[in-house]
Coordinates of all heavy atoms in Angstrom, one line a residue:
L116 N 117.6 39.4 -63.3 CA 118.0 39.4 -64.7 C 118.0 38.0 -65.2 O 117.6 37.8 -66.4 CB 119.5 40.0 -64.7 CG 119.6 41.5 -64.5 CD1 121.1 41.9 -64.5 CD2 118.9 42.3 -65.6
S166 N 125.3 -8.8 -92.3 CA 124.2 -9.8 -92.5 C 123.2 -9.7 -91.5 O 122.0 -10.0 -91.7 CB 124.8 -11.2 -92.6 OG 125.4 -11.6 -91.4
A176 N 110.3 -3.3 -85.5 CA 108.8 -3.6 -85.3 C 108.5 -3.9 -83.9 O 107.4 -3.5 -83.4 CB 108.4 -4.7 -86.3
V181 N 106.0 -2.2 -78.7 CA 106.1 -1.8 -77.3 C 105.7 -0.4 -77.1 O 105.0 0.0 -76.1 CB 107.6 -2.1 -76.8 CG1 107.7 -1.5 -75.3 CG2 107.9 -3.5 -76.8
A249 N 134.5 19.5 -79.5 CA 134.8 18.0 -79.4 C 135.9 17.8 -78.4 O 136.0 16.8 -77.7 CB 135.3 17.5 -80.8
L262 N 122.7 26.5 -68.9 CA 121.8 27.4 -69.7 C 120.4 26.9 -69.6 O 119.4 27.7 -69.4 CB 122.3 27.4 -71.1 CG 121.5 28.3 -72.1 CD1 121.4 29.7 -71.7 CD2 122.0 28.1 -73.5
R334 N 119.8 -7.9 -77.4 CA 120.5 -6.7 -77.0 C 120.3 -5.5 -77.9 O 120.1 -4.4 -77.4 CB 122.0 -7.0 -77.0 CG 122.9 -5.9 -76.4 CD 124.4 -6.3 -76.4 NE 125.2 -5.1 -76.1 CZ 126.5 -5.1 -76.3 NH1 127.2 -6.2 -76.7 NH2 127.2 -4.0 -76.0
T344 N 111.9 6.3 -73.9 CA 112.2 7.2 -72.8 C 111.5 8.5 -73.0 O 111.4 9.0 -74.1 CB 113.7 7.4 -72.7 OG1 114.2 8.0 -73.9 CG2 114.5 6.2 -72.4
G386 N 117.3 4.2 -93.6 CA 118.7 3.9 -93.4 C 119.1 2.5 -94.0 O 120.1 2.4 -94.6
I488 N 114.6 21.8 -59.8 CA 115.4 22.1 -61.1 C 116.9 22.2 -60.8 O 117.7 21.6 -61.5 CB 114.9 23.4 -61.7 CG1 113.4 23.3 -62.2 CG2 115.8 23.9 -62.8 CD1 112.8 24.5 -62.7
Y599 N 111.1 12.5 -40.5 CA 110.0 13.4 -40.4 C 108.9 12.8 -39.5 O 108.3 13.5 -38.7 CB 109.4 13.7 -41.8 CG 110.1 14.7 -42.6 CD1 110.4 14.5 -43.9 CD2 110.5 15.9 -42.0 CE1 111.1 15.5 -44.6 CE2 111.1 16.9 -42.7 CZ 111.4 16.7 -44.0 OH 112.1 17.7 -44.7
L626 N 125.5 38.9 -23.1 CA 126.9 38.8 -23.4 C 127.5 40.0 -24.0 O 126.9 40.6 -25.0 CB 127.1 37.6 -24.5 CG 126.6 36.2 -24.0 CD1 126.8 35.2 -25.1 CD2 127.2 35.8 -22.7
S628 N 131.3 42.5 -24.9 CA 132.7 42.5 -25.1 C 133.3 43.8 -24.7 O 134.4 43.9 -24.2 CB 133.1 42.2 -26.5 OG 132.6 43.2 -27.4
K632 N 127.2 51.3 -28.0 CA 125.8 51.4 -28.2 C 125.1 50.1 -28.4 O 124.0 49.9 -27.8 CB 125.6 52.3 -29.5 CG 125.9 53.7 -29.3 CD 125.7 54.5 -30.6 CE 126.1 56.0 -30.4 NZ 125.9 56.8 -31.6
V698 N 124.2 27.7 -14.3 CA 123.0 28.3 -13.9 C 121.8 27.3 -14.1 O 120.9 27.3 -13.2 CB 122.7 29.6 -14.8 CG1 121.4 30.2 -14.5 CG2 123.8 30.6 -14.6
R701 N 121.7 24.8 -11.2 CA 121.2 25.3 -9.9 C 119.6 25.4 -9.9 O 119.0 25.1 -8.9 CB 121.7 26.7 -9.7 CG 123.2 26.8 -9.3 CD 123.5 28.1 -8.6 NE 123.1 29.2 -9.4 CZ 124.0 29.9 -10.2 NH1 125.2 29.6 -10.3 NH2 123.5 30.9 -10.9
H722 N 130.2 40.5 -43.7 CA 129.8 39.3 -42.8 C 130.9 38.5 -42.4 O 130.9 37.8 -41.4 CB 128.8 38.5 -43.6 CG 127.4 39.1 -43.8 ND1 126.5 39.1 -42.9 CD2 126.9 39.7 -44.9 CE1 125.4 39.7 -43.3 NE2 125.6 40.1 -44.5

Side-chain angles (χ1 to χ4, degrees):
L116 288 174
S166 62
V181 175
L262 178 61
R334 184 180 170 190
T344 58
I488 291 172
Y599 279 134
L626 302 182
S628 62
K632 291 178 180 178
V698 175
R701 288 200 305 261
H722 288 280

